[in-house]
Amino acid sequence: EIAAWEVGGVMYLGTNIGSLKTVKAMNTAFLAANPDLPPFITVDQEGGYVERLNVSNGFPETPSARDLAKKTDPDGATAVYSKMAKGLAELGFNVNFGPVADVDVNPANPVIGKFGRAYSADPMTVMQYDAAFINAHESAGVLTALKHFPGHGSSSTDSHEGFVDISDTWSESELTPYKLLLDHPDTVANVMVMVGHLYVGDHGDGAGVPSSLSRYWITDVLRGKLGFDGVVITDDMEMGAVRDHFELEDRIVRAVNAGVDILLFSNTARPRASIADDIRAMPMG
């Protein structure tokens, strides 16, 4: 399917990873399948709790965002992330789904704050460490993705598990890391933005429509107000926040109409080898 240009990329989760030797062999095969248009070979490798490659499979550990920001300055973070990015590149990865641009508004947040995935409660600090992550990966030839737009740091629930309403907790300050980074187009020239499944009340396309399916958030705010002209990718389209409220075809149509470029599917909710064929066969009204 990669050779036939029917699948644009693959994503590794922890369950996909055995030995690093096997990972490298698989990635080499993926890249060779279509050398004229190489697929995205992606992984979530933030450091800390969220890292698919770790000591259990022979990859060096990296601190969480919060711990790294406490231990070193952005220059020191660049050195840490350079080592990680070079390791990913050597294995054949060309996309790392990070850095987290969420502001640590709610330290008790069950998916961001709890696991130290945000660098700081200060948006400027978040931006500085995001830039360190981005620059280190770009030097290694690995693309990155700012996440989770427009901000998952203030939530009290987890979008993996179900609907996330941040209407009463979200503020404009959570857009600040994006604004600051997008003011430096050279830094974000090869950066995607990953849109989260987050509902922000009056800010959006109507009751119950999360940001990942929202033309307001993607086209009006991210593209229009913030001026982002790069690739927009969704968070996993099988997460509970969207899976439990929108049928598969509806999710796809809404996301594309909202301005998304890439739809991400983990194929974990109902795993099947035919997922790409199933999506292509949909009537898509």
Side-chain angles (χ1 to χ4, degrees), residues 17-147:
I17 296 172
S19 71
L20 298 186
K21 181 179 179 180
T22 301
V23 169
K24 186 170 184 177
M26 289 174 62
N27 289 349
T28 300
F30 291 145
L31 292 169
N34 195 339
D36 293 330
L37 186 64
F40 289 129
I41 303 179
T42 72
V43 67
D44 283 300
Q45 192 71 16
E46 299 171 17
Y49 180 79
V50 180
E51 50 181 15
R52 311 309 184 198
L53 303 158
N54 51 49
V55 291
S56 69
N57 45 52
F59 197 85
E61 293 281 349
T62 303
S64 70
R66 182 186 294 160
D67 287 346
L68 191 64
K70 288 180 178 178
K71 293 176 182 177
T72 188
D73 61 13
D75 287 340
T78 299
V80 171
Y81 288 137
S82 292
K83 181 178 179 181
M84 180 172 75
K86 288 175 183 175
L88 293 177
E90 287 171 1
L91 291 170
F93 289 98
N94 53 28
V95 179
N96 185 0
F97 288 138
V100 169
D102 298 322
V103 181
D104 200 15
V105 178
N106 175 17
N109 177 310
V111 67
I112 304 297
K114 177 181 178 181
F115 298 113
R117 296 174 66 192
Y119 293 103
S120 174
D122 174 46
M124 175 65 79
T125 301
V126 172
M127 180 278 291
Q128 292 171 333
Y129 284 89
D130 283 344
F133 188 105
I134 291 166
N135 291 333
H137 281 73
E138 183 168 9
S139 295
V142 179
L143 303 176
T144 50
L146 288 166
K147 62 186 186 184

Side-chain angles (χ1 to χ4, degrees), residues 21 24 68 125 139 163 165 206-207 226 228 237-238 274 281:
K21 181 179 179 180
K24 186 170 184 177
L68 191 64
T125 301
S139 295
F163 190 72
D165 186 344
L226 299 183
F228 180 67
M237 293 291 280
E238 294 191 307
S274 64

Side-chain angles (χ1 to χ4, degrees), residues 127-172:
M127 180 278 291
Q128 292 171 333
Y129 284 89
D130 283 344
F133 188 105
I134 291 166
N135 291 333
H137 281 73
E138 183 168 9
S139 295
V142 179
L143 303 176
T144 50
L146 288 166
K147 62 186 186 184
H148 308 81
F149 183 84
H152 210 324
S154 67
S155 77
S156 58
T157 52
D158 180 353
S159 54
H160 293 83
E161 304 299 329
F163 190 72
V164 175
D165 186 344
I166 54 175
S167 304
D168 295 331
T169 57
W170 184 87
S171 71
E172 288 274 346

